[in-house]
Amino acid sequence: MCCFLKTIIRLIIYILLIWNGAVYAQKTIDEADNKSIVASVTDWVATTGMLDTFQLQGFANQAFISTSDNDVFGNSDKGGSFGFTEVGLNASMRPLPRLQLSAQGLYRRAGKGSSANPRLDFAFADYRLYSHETNQFGMRVGRLKNPFGFYNETRDVAFTRPSILLPQSIYFDRTRNLGLSSDAIHLYADSSQSNLGSFSVIFGIGNPIVDDRDTEAAIVGLGRTGNLTSNVSYIGRGIYETNDGRIRLAVSGSSTKVDYKPGGIDDLLGSGSVRFSPILFSAQYNTERWSLTSEYALRFFTIKDFNPSEFSNRDFVGESFYFQGEYRFNQKWEALLRYDVLFADRSDRKGKRLARSTGLPAHTQFAKDLTVGLRWNVTPKIMIRAEYHRINGTGWLSRLDNPDILDTSKNWNLFAAQLSYRF
Amino acid sequence: MIHPDVKEESVSANLLRAIFSMRVKNWPNGMLIKVFVLADEDHLHHDFSKDKLNVFPYQLRQVWDRLVFSGTGQAPTKVSSSDEMLVKVVNTPGAVGYIETAYINDNIHILQIK
């Protein structure tokens, strides 16, 4: 199914390119019968303004993280760590009025869960099938960021985040790849009405990327020899915004099934599957100085077909939410206050049932994070940030960075500072 | 103000906001729209955003950053002064920008906001 989808995506890109190329070539040739082919091609490049539309952007973020206990992105509880680095390079162009090509490469170093190798974050073609006044309809094919909530698509760009660490209850860094980008096809529609506001809807079908070790550890535990493979997954989001952008409301949903194939006869886990279907409600209120944001998620899990003596096959629902206030003193200084809550299983919010049945600490099943932060826009290109988290629970802590669960602390705090540059 | 080739006399406030939010990419005649803006902290940019588009400059910045870093759109071209704005808009087919009334002369095509 994965290969099938990739073939379809390639085919669609070729058809779009050839079709457009033909239309433009025909136009140019009609207009200039006596010109040579070379002149026609030059004309084509010139008339479409292809090179004028090329844009290159980038960013680099370096953070320092220090924790009282537990490790976040490196050995953070032994005096702090500089283990969190993000560097991105982004290019786009519009070879045709209706076609945009975009790609972004990303280098991310963040504890043992992130491979610290440059990777292709996204690369796709966006074609406008219909455009009239303020109504647009189009299609995107390639490797795409998953449209989920307010922050997922740009989560590695510090300038677009409200804080150094996004609210972990919803934007997990532990299983980030599962939610990050997919080889997919998206259909989108935008419409803005002068009396009502604007609506935008995206629906996508594709294959998420799950072959990193952190996602594996979070889903099937540490030290497994087998592999995870993803099936076709679905994603959708609708956003409503008033015309002045004061109020933004969104609903996002996705459904992904991941299969586990055992590594060999010695892999006691056997094969099995995990279906993960989150739904997320988002709301934001903006004034000149304030932005108030809240998101609420229910995460539905179905785990089945695993060897029951090794792994518990069950259905459960995780729950997450946060409330966040950002205050802009002026163009240079902003403050943040946020309360972020995660329950791994909403029918076992305190983790007592899990503690009784497995002997694992109850605090692995929740996390309540109170965050205060300060942002200083030194120049339009340079930003410095600092934040302090008071955390109760280890629900979103990375298992790779903290392999001994029994050695983790329930109450802990985290201080982070970050320097960011963009161009 | 716009480049003369665009051949539009007026535009609704709603369409103008969609253009400066970089969501609408083509003029009604199909020509690619080229948006020029001053820096985020510029007073004219601030007034234009608030009075003509009815959004705050930080909201526009967030919209552009989301488009650029998700690959779903492009950022407007930043110019450093009103003089540069004038030169760019007059010489770039499909261009739209804004300028103080003191700069207006006969060579400039003004787009009316309905």
Side-chain angles (χ1 to χ4, degrees), chain A residues 134-136 150 189-201 237-250, chain B residues 14-15 17-18 21 23-24 55 63 66:
Chain A
T134 55
N135 304 311
Q136 326 285 328
F150 284 152
D190 294 322
S191 174
S192 102
Q193 310 294 326
S194 52
N195 48 352
L196 290 173
S198 68
F199 300 85
S200 61
V201 181
R237 182 181 65 192
I239 299 184
Y240 165 77
E241 226 180 286
T242 54
N243 276 327
D244 53 12
R246 302 289 189 277
I247 297 171
R248 300 174 70 216
L249 303 170
Chain B
N14 197 31
L15 181 55
R17 187 165 42 234
S21 303
R23 273 183 293 140
V24 173
V55 293
V63 167
R66 275 200 294 271

Side-chain angles (χ1 to χ4, degrees), chain A residues 48-49 52-55 57-59 90 92-94 96-98 100 102 104 121-122 124 126 128 131 133-134 136 140 145 150 153-154 157 159-160 190-194 198 241 243-246 248 284 286-291 326 328 331 380 422-423, chain B residues 8 10-19 21-28 30-35 39-43 45-46 50 53-59 61-78 92-93 114:
Chain A
T48 53
D52 301 348
T53 67
F54 181 80
Q55 291 192 353
Q57 268 110 356
F59 59 90
N90 168 310
S92 64
M93 67 188 298
R94 300 188 68 80
L96 305 161
R98 284 167 175 265
Q100 177 167 334
S102 312
Q104 180 165 289
D121 195 27
F122 61 72
F124 61 89
D126 177 331
R128 283 275 157 105
S131 174
E133 288 273 305
T134 55
Q136 326 285 328
R140 301 184 181 117
K145 302 292 272 192
F150 284 152
E153 292 149 288
T154 58
V157 191
F159 286 87
T160 70
D190 294 322
S191 174
S192 102
Q193 310 294 326
S194 52
S198 68
E241 226 180 286
N243 276 327
D244 53 12
R246 302 289 189 277
R248 300 174 70 216
Q284 187 170 65
N286 293 306
T287 70
E288 188 151 24
R289 292 192 179 276
W290 283 97
S291 288
E326 291 162 272
R328 286 169 283 275
Q331 283 172 343
R422 67 183 289 169
F423 69 85
Chain B
E8 292 289 317
S10 66
V11 69
S12 67
N14 197 31
L15 181 55
L16 190 69
R17 187 165 42 234
I19 288 170
S21 303
M22 306 301 284
R23 273 183 293 140
V24 173
K25 295 167 181 175
N26 306 96
W27 292 108
M31 193 178 232
L32 195 66
I33 302 176
K34 301 276 179 60
V35 180
D40 287 8
E41 58 275 12
D42 188 279
H43 288 296
H45 177 72
H46 185 262
K50 268 179 86 171
L53 306 179
N54 196 23
V55 293
F56 301 113
Y58 82 86
Q59 292 175 296
R61 170 54 57 195
Q62 288 178 354
V63 167
W64 300 335
D65 283 349
R66 275 200 294 271
L67 290 174
V68 166
F69 291 108
S70 65
T72 56
Q74 291 193 310
T77 306
K78 198 183 113 184
T92 312
K114 279 187 276 200

Side-chain angles (χ1 to χ4, degrees), chain B residues 64-96:
Chain B
W64 300 335
D65 283 349
R66 275 200 294 271
L67 290 174
V68 166
F69 291 108
S70 65
T72 56
Q74 291 193 310
T77 306
K78 198 183 113 184
V79 294
S80 51
S81 65
S82 290
D83 289 317
E84 193 188 347
M85 175 74 86
L86 197 64
V87 172
K88 288 280 175 128
V89 174
V90 169
N91 293 303
T92 312
V96 59

Side-chain angles (χ1 to χ4, degrees), chain A residues 80-386:
Chain A
S81 130
F82 286 92
F84 185 30
T85 311
E86 299 152 300
V87 180
L89 194 63
N90 168 310
S92 64
M93 67 188 298
R94 300 188 68 80
L96 305 161
R98 284 167 175 265
L99 180 71
Q100 177 167 334
L101 304 176
S102 312
Q104 180 165 289
L106 181 71
Y107 166 87
R108 184 174 186 268
R109 196 170 59 100
K112 295 195 179 86
S114 198
S115 66
N117 289 320
R119 51 168 274 181
L120 186 65
D121 195 27
F122 61 72
F124 61 89
D126 177 331
Y127 190 77
R128 283 275 157 105
L129 295 162
Y130 172 84
S131 174
H132 179 69
E133 288 273 305
T134 55
N135 304 311
Q136 326 285 328
F137 174 68
M139 182 168 69
R140 301 184 181 117
V141 277
R143 175 164 294 182
L144 286 145
K145 302 292 272 192
N146 288 336
F148 200 75
F150 284 152
Y151 299 114
N152 195 55
E153 292 149 288
T154 58
R155 61 187 294 164
D156 299 315
V157 191
F159 286 87
T160 70
R161 293 195 296 245
S163 46
I164 299 169
L165 298 180
L166 277 173
Q168 292 292 304
S169 76
I170 288 167
Y171 302 95
F172 288 95
D173 279 315
R174 197 174 72 189
T175 53
R176 68 192 298 278
N177 282 0
L178 189 59
L180 192 63
S181 48
S182 307
D183 294 325
I185 299 176
H186 287 179
L187 292 174
Y188 65 92
D190 294 322
S191 174
S192 102
Q193 310 294 326
S194 52
N195 48 352
L196 290 173
S198 68
F199 300 85
S200 61
V201 181
I202 300 187
F203 175 76
I205 172 167
N207 282 86
I209 297 142
V210 292
D211 55 356
D212 64 301
R213 289 181 61 219
D214 217 356
T215 310
E216 240 166 67
I219 295 177
V220 289
L222 286 175
R224 303 290 183 190
T225 52
N227 284 310
L228 291 176
T229 51
S230 65
N231 291 284
V232 170
S233 71
Y234 305 91
I235 193 157
R237 182 181 65 192
I239 299 184
Y240 165 77
E241 226 180 286
T242 54
N243 276 327
D244 53 12
R246 302 289 189 277
I247 297 171
R248 300 174 70 216
L249 303 170
V251 185
S252 320
S254 77
S255 186
T256 301
K257 185 165 158 273
V258 177
D259 291 331
Y260 180 74
K261 300 251 170 16
I265 301 162
D266 58 329
D267 193 344
L268 296 168
L269 189 55
S271 62
S273 74
V274 178
R275 179 168 280 286
F276 172 55
S277 307
I279 181 162
L280 175 60
F281 300 92
S282 317
Q284 187 170 65
Y285 179 69
N286 293 306
T287 70
E288 188 151 24
R289 292 192 179 276
W290 283 97
S291 288
L292 304 174
T293 312
S294 180
E295 296 193 285
Y296 175 85
L298 289 172
R299 291 167 286 112
F300 298 87
F301 288 88
T302 306
I303 301 174
K304 59 184 189 185
D305 301 332
F306 283 104
N307 183 350
S309 65
E310 272 288 304
F311 209 71
S312 73
N313 292 314
R314 62 196 185 111
D315 291 359
F316 64 100
V317 183
E319 186 179 38
S320 313
F321 57 86
Y322 70 86
F323 300 100
Q324 172 182 286
E326 291 162 272
Y327 184 78
R328 286 169 283 275
F329 297 97
N330 49 46
Q331 283 172 343
K332 295 271 178 206
W333 291 90
E334 295 171 29
L336 168 91
L337 177 66
R338 181 171 65 218
Y339 186 56
D340 177 41
V341 176
L342 163 76
F343 297 114
D345 180 348
R346 70 191 299 233
S347 70
D348 184 26
R349 286 193 168 122
K350 291 183 174 158
K352 284 185 176 162
R353 203 173 62 217
L354 180 111
R356 262 199 315 276
S357 64
T358 63
L360 294 175
H363 63 71
T364 57
Q365 296 302 291
F366 59 85
K368 297 167 190 172
D369 177 351
L370 181 67
T371 305
V372 290
L374 204 58
R375 169 177 177 160
W376 176 26
N377 300 312
V378 186
T379 72
K381 291 182 173 176
I382 296 172
M383 170 182 73
I384 293 174
R385 226 175 208 163

